Each structure stands twice: as structure tokens, then as C-alpha cells.
Amino acid sequence: MRRRLIKKLCMVFGPRLPRIWLILCLASVFVLIVFSSSSSSSSSSSSSFDSVTVTVKPDIYANYRRLKEQAITDYLDLTSLSSGSSNLKDLRLCGKEREHYVPCYNVSANLLTGFTNGDEFDRHCEVSQGEPYCLVRPPKDYKTPLSWPVGRDVIWNENVKITKDQFLSSGSMTKRLMLMEENQISFHSDDGLMFDGVKDYSHQVAEMIGLGSDTEFHQAGVRTVLDVGCGFGSFGAHLLSLKLMTVCMAAYELTGSQVQISLERGLPAIIGNFNSRQLPFPSLSYDMVHCAECGILWDAKDGLFLIEADRVLKPGGYFVLHGSSLSTKKGSMASPIEEFTRKICWTFIAQQEDTFIWQKTSDPQCYSSRTGLPVPKLPLLSLNYMERIQQDEFYEDFETSLSALRNYWSLLTPLIFSDHPKRPGDEDPLPPYNMIRNVMDMNAHYGGLNSAFLEEGKSVWVMNVVPIRAPNTNTLSVILDQGFAGVLHDWCEPFPTYPRTYDMLHANGLLSYLVSERCSITNLLLEMDRILRPEGWVVLSDEVGSIEKARMIATQIRWEARVIDLENGSDQRILVCQKPFVRK
């Protein structure tokens, strides 16, 4: 049998059977060695991996969502090393000449571009595009503002750009309101020692509209005031003490800025003027528009400035004009103003000395009969917010938003501020309110953050910003109707304010919104760094991808940053940052 089998094998493989068998045996041994080595390596790796999983549990994710988030984070880390974010590592500090820099206000460039007739002093971001970014540094002797309400009456001289010569050359009213010492500027307080006339003036305006005292403004429906050309904010500070939300608005000024000093005092203010575009407010926003020596020629440009004032003024609201340039004889103010006010359905109701007051009519028939008025350069905002707030779903949306903000803020307060040191002399060391006065909600929705602060009874004010390209800008009308401060703004551009003017910046959903609009998150955070004071706080809530990108940028511009997980199954994350006082 064996020989017969060998013969058959020889017929198949040929006569050299031993050599072939030897080769087959060697090959089989080699395959066995390789297989056993691979199995041993796999077993070793498996046991090694098991030991790692026992000791490093945080690297193991229990579900797909966590794994996806980690993948996004890793991807962002890799892309940041090879693309735009790495350029921030070389971002330099600005020179001394930019300590008070406000983008989009470049008079020389505007003139070269062809802007004239006052438009060269207005905001033109398109002219300033392409300017290199740098981190705006504070002045050498910058000091943290004093806490409210002391900071309302005393500010540090080096924090604002005003010289003694400018102070001495200012008007007599300003000299009575201010006292410039060696390193401080003091303002007369509102505690009964005020002899400069602000209280008397406020009382006079109240009497002129038929009230017994300025404490009765609310009874006349006056809750919100736009103070145009506000000086250094003393009239607004007095109205705020009466619980009237007063927003100072003045043109950009290179030095001695009304807006910068007002914000330094903890008073609501924004850069803006009537020159070439609409104000950043929806129609029917304010109960009173006030102008005291504000420098605006109201009858210029065929009354266009008065038409814009009429647009933002609510029906039944008041236009208060005070100035020594107007005639002091009753009923004999400049005839062009008198003519324009009749055309726009305003009623002249009172005059005392240099103060004139008109009231906007509430009669809709008068508006339908208005003819012969110039057409504004920009289309009017069509908001129809009264129809919106009468819908039941608005109240549901607002209550849901406010309830979420209460829970959200109760989470943030101990996490952000619990370890913040108390200032010497502070009577209320509870965080965060002894360090915060000026707050900006950069994507305000219905003003829920503002409402949450009010419910806590804290002495902060909030600039509620609604992105101008947002799906529903109607919410700003709702915000203003609650008596809050707010503006429309395009966050693809810088915000119209001076450096270091806000103590806290908050935004919920703004980063992902900017990504959808193809705007730069990097530019946004650099702008936030400009307007945030040293030691100020940033709170961002958004999707994990946007938060991780913002975290990397924040680290590169030398903010202290940490991410908070809500731990409720949400895809949202919270990024909390603090800007250092000294940036090395």
C-alpha cells in the first residue's frame, strides 16, 4: 500500500520527492512560527489594553455622542495646527497709539474714499477692511474701575482719553459737573449735594409735560430715554436713579469721548449719530428723545434727522430740545424746525427759556395724511412687534427662555465667581456682582439674561444685542418694550464702542450662527478682547465644535479658559473665560 501511494505521488510530483517534501515542511514550520508570533502579540496587546482601560477610564466613551464629540475636538486640534488658528500665536500687542482704538472710524481714509458733508465722521467698516489685527493694550496706568455705585461718581483719569486742557476748555455745565484731580475725575453725586442744575432741569422737563415731579415720569408712560449728545452722562445718571432706562448716544470722538466716559461711569452708552444711516434701533423704540446742546442741526438735510427721531419715538412720546442757540421767545424757534415738526405730526406743547418740548401724536389718521417728506436713505425697519407680542406662542417662548436662564445662571454663578477675591472696602463680597456693572448679551433673544439679573435685584445693566441678520429681529422690540437697553448689530463687523467698556460678555448660540453666516469666530473673539476690560468675564454657550474652536482661540490670545459640561445629555457646552489684567 505504501509503495503504491509513493508511486502515485511520484507520478504527480516527479521523481524528486524528498526535496519537495523538505521545502513543504520548511514552509509549514515558517507559517506556524508567524501565526504563533501574531497570536502572542495580539494577546499581549489585548492584555495591555485591558490594563490601560482599568487605569484610564476617562478615555473610554460609553456612547456614540461622546465619541463623536471627541472626534470633532481632535479634528479641530489638528486643523488649528495647520491652518488659520496657528497664525494667532504670532498676534502682537498694539502700540500705544491704539490704546483707545475704535475700528471703522477712520476720518482720513473716509475722506480719501470720497465721504464728505459730515459722512466722513460716520462709521464705514468697508473702508477699514484688511487692517491687521492686534491685541489692544490698556494704558500704562490703567486701574480697575471702582465698584458701583462709587464708580458712577469717581473714575480713574488714565482709563479715559481726556486731558486737563480739554476739561478746562469745556462748557460751564461740564465744569460744574466734574472735578479733575491728580489721578481721578469726580462727578457730583445724586444725594442732594447736586447744585449744578441737573435735578432742577429734570424737574422742569417733568412740569412742562404736565407732571408734578420727575418722580412721576412713569405715570406719563416714560420708561426709556434716548439721550443724544449726552455730555458725560449726568442727566442719564439722574434718570437711572429714577428707574428710567436712559441710553447715551453720541458721535465718535478721538478724545474726550462722551460715550467712553459714560461707560466708564457704568452708564448705558453707544457710539452713533444721525449723519448717513439709520440708528441701530427698530421703529417705536423710545418714550423720549432728549437733546441738550447736542450739536445736531435738526433742520438739515431736509429734516431727515427729525424724521429719524420720529421713527424711533413711540406714539405719545416726547422730543425734548434744549439749547442756547434756539430763540428764547415763546413760539419763535427757528421756522424750519417748526415747519418740519408739523409735517411729522408733532404737537408743540411747552417752552421754558431754552427748553422746547414736542409730543408725537397717537392719531393714526395724521400719519396717513403726511405728504411732502423726504425719503430716508435706508429703508425703514418693518417690525410690527405689537402683532407679535399678542400671540400666545410669544409668551410661551419668553417664559421658557426665562426659566432656562434662571437655571443656567444658577449653574454659572458658583462655577465662575466663587473664588474671586473681595476688593478692599467692598461691603457686598458676594460674587459676581461686586465686580460687574456693564454687561453685554451678544445674542439676547428675548432679553432673558437681563430679566434674570433683575429678578436677582443686582445693580447691573445689560446691553441686549440682536444680530441684524438673525431670523427674527422682532425680539429687540420686545426687549425695548420691557424697558431694557438694546441695539441691532451685525457681528461680522466690530461693535461701536471704545476699548475696555464692558465687564462681562455673554452669548448663547452666537458662534454657530456666525459659522452659518460664514463670518470669522477668530475676528469675533479678538473684538471681544478689545471691548472687554482687564479681569472681565466671557461666557459662551454653544455647540461642542464651535466651543472647542473658541477655546483654542481664547487660549492663544491668553485668556484663562475652561469648558463646562452641562451633564444633562445636551450637545451644548459652556466656555468660561477671564481676560488677564496683565498680558505677557
Coordinates of all heavy atoms in Angstrom, one line a residue, residues 319-371:
F319 N -40.2 114.7 22.5 CA -38.9 115.1 21.9 C -38.6 116.4 22.7 O -39.2 117.4 22.6 CB -39.1 115.4 20.4 CG -37.8 115.9 19.8 CD1 -36.8 115.0 19.5 CD2 -37.6 117.2 19.5 CE1 -35.6 115.4 18.9 CE2 -36.4 117.6 18.9 CZ -35.4 116.7 18.6
V320 N -37.5 116.3 23.4 CA -37.0 117.5 24.3 C -35.8 118.0 23.7 O -34.7 117.4 23.5 CB -36.8 117.0 25.7 CG1 -36.3 118.2 26.6 CG2 -38.0 116.3 26.3
L321 N -35.8 119.3 23.4 CA -34.7 120.0 22.8 C -34.3 121.2 23.6 O -35.1 122.1 23.9 CB -35.1 120.5 21.4 CG -34.0 121.2 20.5 CD1 -32.9 120.2 20.2 CD2 -34.7 121.6 19.2
H322 N -33.0 121.2 24.1 CA -32.5 122.3 24.9 C -31.3 122.9 24.3 O -30.3 122.1 23.9 CB -32.2 121.8 26.3 CG -31.5 122.8 27.2 ND1 -32.3 123.7 28.0 CD2 -30.2 123.1 27.4 CE1 -31.4 124.5 28.6 NE2 -30.2 124.1 28.3
G323 N -31.2 124.2 24.1 CA -30.0 124.8 23.6 C -30.1 126.3 23.5 O -31.2 126.9 23.2
S324 N -29.0 126.9 23.8 CA -29.0 128.4 23.9 C -29.0 129.0 22.5 O -29.3 130.2 22.3 CB -27.7 128.9 24.6 OG -26.6 128.3 23.9
S325 N -28.8 128.2 21.4 CA -28.8 128.7 20.1 C -30.3 128.9 19.6 O -30.5 129.6 18.6 CB -28.1 127.7 19.1 OG -28.7 126.5 19.1
L326 N -31.2 128.3 20.3 CA -32.6 128.5 19.9 C -33.2 129.8 20.5 O -32.7 130.2 21.5 CB -33.5 127.3 20.4 CG -33.1 125.9 19.8 CD1 -33.9 124.9 20.5 CD2 -33.4 125.9 18.3
S327 N -34.2 130.3 19.8 CA -34.8 131.6 20.3 C -35.4 131.4 21.6 O -36.0 130.3 21.9 CB -35.8 132.1 19.3 OG -36.5 133.2 19.8
T328 N -35.3 132.3 22.5 CA -35.9 132.2 23.8 C -37.3 132.8 23.9 O -37.9 132.8 24.9 CB -35.0 132.9 24.9 OG1 -34.9 134.3 24.5 CG2 -33.7 132.2 25.0
K329 N -37.7 133.3 22.8 CA -39.1 133.9 22.7 C -40.1 132.8 22.4 O -39.9 132.1 21.4 CB -39.2 135.0 21.7 CG -38.3 136.2 22.0 CD -38.4 137.3 21.0 CE -37.6 138.5 21.4 NZ -37.7 139.6 20.4
K330 N -41.1 132.7 23.2 CA -42.1 131.7 23.0 C -42.7 131.7 21.6 O -43.1 132.7 21.1 CB -43.2 131.9 24.0 CG -44.3 130.7 24.0 CD -45.3 130.9 25.1 CE -46.3 129.8 25.1 NZ -47.3 129.9 26.1
G331 N -42.7 130.5 21.0 CA -43.3 130.3 19.7 C -42.5 130.8 18.6 O -42.9 130.8 17.4
S332 N -41.2 131.2 18.8 CA -40.4 131.8 17.7 C -39.1 131.0 17.5 O -38.1 131.6 17.1 CB -40.1 133.3 18.1 OG -39.3 133.3 19.2
M333 N -39.1 129.7 17.7 CA -38.0 128.9 17.4 C -37.8 128.9 15.9 O -38.7 129.3 15.2 CB -38.1 127.5 17.9 CG -39.0 126.5 17.1 SD -40.7 126.9 17.3 CE -41.0 126.5 19.0
A334 N -36.6 128.5 15.4 CA -36.3 128.6 14.0 C -37.5 128.0 13.2 O -37.9 126.9 13.4 CB -35.0 127.8 13.7
S335 N -37.9 128.7 12.2 CA -39.1 128.3 11.4 C -39.0 127.0 10.7 O -40.0 126.3 10.6 CB -39.5 129.5 10.4 OG -38.4 129.7 9.6
P336 N -37.8 126.6 10.2 CA -37.7 125.3 9.6 C -38.1 124.2 10.5 O -38.8 123.2 10.1 CB -36.3 125.2 9.1 CG -35.8 126.6 8.9 CD -36.5 127.4 10.0
I337 N -37.6 124.2 11.8 CA -37.9 123.2 12.7 C -39.4 123.1 13.0 O -40.0 122.1 13.1 CB -37.1 123.4 14.0 CG1 -35.6 123.2 13.8 CG2 -37.6 122.4 15.1 CD1 -34.8 123.4 15.0
E338 N -40.0 124.3 13.2 CA -41.4 124.4 13.4 C -42.2 123.8 12.3 O -43.2 123.1 12.5 CB -41.8 125.9 13.6 CG -43.2 126.1 14.2 CD -43.4 127.6 14.4 OE1 -42.6 128.4 14.0 OE2 -44.4 127.9 15.1
E339 N -41.7 124.1 11.1 CA -42.5 123.6 9.9 C -42.3 122.0 9.8 O -43.3 121.4 9.6 CB -41.9 124.2 8.6 CG -42.5 123.7 7.3 CD -41.8 124.3 6.1 OE1 -41.0 125.2 6.3 OE2 -42.2 123.9 5.0
F340 N -41.1 121.5 10.0 CA -40.9 120.1 9.9 C -41.7 119.3 11.0 O -42.3 118.2 10.8 CB -39.5 119.7 10.0 CG -38.7 120.0 8.7 CD1 -37.6 120.8 8.7 CD2 -39.1 119.4 7.5 CE1 -36.9 121.0 7.6 CE2 -38.4 119.7 6.4 CZ -37.3 120.5 6.4
T341 N -41.8 119.8 12.2 CA -42.5 119.1 13.3 C -44.0 119.1 13.0 O -44.6 118.1 13.4 CB -42.2 119.8 14.6 OG1 -42.6 121.2 14.5 CG2 -40.8 119.7 15.1
R342 N -44.5 120.1 12.3 CA -45.9 120.0 11.9 C -46.1 118.9 10.9 O -47.1 118.2 10.9 CB -46.4 121.3 11.4 CG -46.7 122.4 12.5 CD -47.6 123.5 12.0 NE -47.0 124.2 10.9 CZ -46.3 125.3 11.0 NH1 -46.1 125.8 12.2 NH2 -45.7 125.9 9.9
K343 N -45.2 118.8 10.0 CA -45.3 117.8 8.9 C -45.3 116.4 9.4 O -46.0 115.5 8.9 CB -44.2 118.0 7.9 CG -44.4 119.2 6.9 CD -43.3 119.2 5.9 CE -43.5 120.4 5.0 NZ -42.4 120.4 3.9
I344 N -44.5 116.1 10.5 CA -44.4 114.8 11.0 C -45.4 114.5 12.2 O -45.2 113.6 12.9 CB -43.0 114.5 11.4 CG1 -42.5 115.4 12.5 CG2 -42.1 114.5 10.2 CD1 -41.1 115.2 13.0
C345 N -46.4 115.4 12.3 CA -47.5 115.2 13.3 C -47.0 115.3 14.7 O -47.4 114.5 15.6 CB -48.2 113.8 13.0 SG -48.9 113.7 11.4
W346 N -46.1 116.2 15.0 CA -45.7 116.5 16.4 C -46.5 117.7 16.8 O -46.7 118.7 16.1 CB -44.2 116.8 16.5 CG -43.4 115.6 16.3 CD1 -43.8 114.3 16.0 CD2 -41.9 115.5 16.5 NE1 -42.7 113.5 16.0 CE2 -41.5 114.2 16.3 CE3 -41.0 116.5 16.8 CZ2 -40.2 113.8 16.3 CZ3 -39.7 116.1 16.8 CH2 -39.3 114.8 16.6
T347 N -46.8 117.7 18.1 CA -47.5 118.9 18.7 C -46.6 119.6 19.7 O -46.0 119.0 20.6 CB -48.8 118.4 19.5 OG1 -49.6 117.7 18.6 CG2 -49.5 119.6 20.1
F348 N -46.4 120.9 19.4 CA -45.6 121.7 20.3 C -46.4 121.9 21.6 O -47.4 122.5 21.6 CB -45.2 123.0 19.7 CG -44.4 123.9 20.5 CD1 -43.1 123.6 20.8 CD2 -44.9 125.1 21.0 CE1 -42.3 124.4 21.6 CE2 -44.1 125.9 21.8 CZ -42.8 125.6 22.1
I349 N -45.8 121.5 22.8 CA -46.6 121.6 24.0 C -46.1 122.5 25.0 O -46.9 123.0 25.9 CB -46.8 120.2 24.6 CG1 -45.4 119.6 25.0 CG2 -47.5 119.2 23.7 CD1 -45.5 118.3 25.8
A350 N -44.8 122.9 25.0 CA -44.3 123.8 26.0 C -42.9 124.3 25.7 O -42.1 123.7 24.9 CB -44.2 123.0 27.4
Q351 N -42.6 125.5 26.3 CA -41.3 126.1 26.2 C -41.0 126.8 27.5 O -41.9 127.6 28.0 CB -41.2 127.0 25.0 CG -39.8 127.7 24.9 CD -39.8 129.1 24.5 OE1 -40.8 129.6 24.0 NE2 -38.8 129.8 24.8
Q352 N -39.8 126.6 28.0 CA -39.4 127.4 29.2 C -37.9 127.8 28.9 O -37.1 126.9 28.8 CB -39.5 126.7 30.5 CG -40.9 126.6 31.0 CD -41.0 126.0 32.4 OE1 -40.0 126.0 33.2 NE2 -42.1 125.4 32.8
E353 N -37.7 129.1 28.8 CA -36.3 129.5 28.5 C -35.8 128.8 27.2 O -36.3 129.0 26.1 CB -35.4 129.4 29.7 CG -35.9 130.1 30.9 CD -35.0 129.9 32.1 OE1 -34.1 129.0 32.1 OE2 -35.1 130.7 33.1
D354 N -34.7 128.0 27.4 CA -34.0 127.4 26.2 C -34.5 126.0 26.0 O -33.9 125.2 25.2 CB -32.5 127.4 26.4 CG -32.0 128.8 26.5 OD1 -32.6 129.7 25.9 OD2 -30.9 129.0 27.1
T355 N -35.6 125.6 26.6 CA -36.0 124.2 26.5 C -37.4 124.2 25.8 O -38.3 124.9 26.1 CB -36.2 123.5 27.9 OG1 -34.9 123.6 28.6 CG2 -36.6 122.1 27.8
F356 N -37.4 123.3 24.7 CA -38.6 123.1 23.9 C -39.1 121.7 23.9 O -38.2 120.8 23.9 CB -38.4 123.6 22.5 CG -38.0 125.0 22.3 CD1 -36.6 125.4 22.5 CD2 -38.9 126.0 22.0 CE1 -36.2 126.7 22.4 CE2 -38.5 127.3 21.9 CZ -37.2 127.7 22.1
I357 N -40.4 121.4 24.0 CA -40.8 120.0 24.0 C -42.0 119.9 23.0 O -42.9 120.7 23.0 CB -41.3 119.6 25.4 CG1 -40.2 119.7 26.5 CG2 -41.9 118.2 25.4 CD1 -40.6 119.3 27.9
W358 N -41.9 118.8 22.2 CA -42.9 118.4 21.3 C -43.4 117.0 21.7 O -42.7 116.2 22.3 CB -42.4 118.3 19.9 CG -42.1 119.6 19.2 CD1 -42.9 120.3 18.4 CD2 -40.9 120.3 19.3 NE1 -42.3 121.5 18.0 CE2 -41.0 121.5 18.5 CE3 -39.7 120.1 20.0 CZ2 -40.0 122.4 18.4 CZ3 -38.7 121.1 19.9 CH2 -38.8 122.2 19.1
Q359 N -44.6 116.7 21.4 CA -45.2 115.3 21.6 C -45.6 114.7 20.3 O -46.3 115.4 19.5 CB -46.4 115.4 22.6 CG -46.9 114.0 23.0 CD -47.9 114.0 24.1 OE1 -48.6 115.0 24.2 NE2 -48.1 112.9 24.8
K360 N -45.2 113.5 20.1 CA -45.6 112.8 18.9 C -47.1 112.3 19.0 O -47.5 111.7 20.1 CB -44.7 111.6 18.7 CG -45.0 110.7 17.4 CD -44.0 109.6 17.3 CE -44.3 108.7 16.1 NZ -43.3 107.7 15.8
T361 N -47.9 112.5 18.0 CA -49.3 112.2 18.1 C -49.5 110.7 18.1 O -48.7 109.9 17.6 CB -50.1 112.8 16.9 OG1 -51.5 112.6 17.1 CG2 -49.6 112.2 15.6
S362 N -50.6 110.3 18.7 CA -51.0 108.9 18.6 C -52.2 108.7 17.6 O -52.7 107.6 17.5 CB -51.5 108.4 20.0 OG -50.5 108.5 21.0
D363 N -52.5 109.7 16.9 CA -53.6 109.6 15.9 C -53.1 109.0 14.6 O -52.3 109.6 13.9 CB -54.2 111.0 15.7 CG -55.3 111.1 14.7 OD1 -55.8 110.0 14.4 OD2 -55.8 112.2 14.3
P364 N -53.6 107.8 14.2 CA -53.1 107.2 13.0 C -53.5 108.0 11.7 O -52.8 107.9 10.7 CB -53.7 105.8 13.0 CG -54.9 106.0 13.9 CD -54.6 107.0 14.9
Q365 N -54.6 108.7 11.8 CA -55.1 109.5 10.6 C -54.0 110.5 10.2 O -53.9 110.8 9.0 CB -56.4 110.1 10.9 CG -57.5 109.1 11.1 CD -58.9 109.8 11.3 OE1 -59.0 111.0 11.4 NE2 -59.9 109.0 11.3
C366 N -53.3 111.1 11.2 CA -52.4 112.1 10.9 C -51.2 111.5 10.1 O -50.7 112.1 9.1 CB -51.8 112.8 12.1 SG -50.7 114.1 11.8
Y367 N -50.8 110.3 10.4 CA -49.7 109.7 9.7 C -50.1 109.3 8.3 O -49.2 109.5 7.4 CB -49.3 108.4 10.5 CG -48.7 108.6 11.8 CD1 -49.4 108.3 13.0 CD2 -47.5 109.3 12.0 CE1 -48.9 108.5 14.2 CE2 -47.0 109.6 13.2 CZ -47.7 109.2 14.4 OH -47.2 109.4 15.6
S368 N -51.3 108.9 8.1 CA -51.7 108.5 6.7 C -51.8 109.8 5.8 O -51.7 109.6 4.6 CB -53.0 107.8 6.8 OG -54.0 108.7 7.3
S369 N -51.9 111.0 6.4 CA -52.0 112.2 5.6 C -50.7 112.9 5.4 O -50.7 114.0 4.8 CB -53.1 113.1 6.3 OG -52.6 113.5 7.5
R370 N -49.6 112.4 6.0 CA -48.3 113.1 5.8 C -47.9 113.1 4.4 O -47.8 112.0 3.8 CB -47.3 112.4 6.7 CG -47.6 112.5 8.2 CD -46.4 112.3 9.1 NE -45.8 111.0 8.9 CZ -44.8 110.5 9.7 NH1 -44.4 111.2 10.7 NH2 -44.3 109.3 9.5
T371 N -47.5 114.2 3.9 CA -47.0 114.3 2.5 C -45.9 115.3 2.5 O -45.6 116.1 3.4 CB -48.1 114.9 1.5 OG1 -48.6 116.1 2.0 CG2 -49.3 113.9 1.5

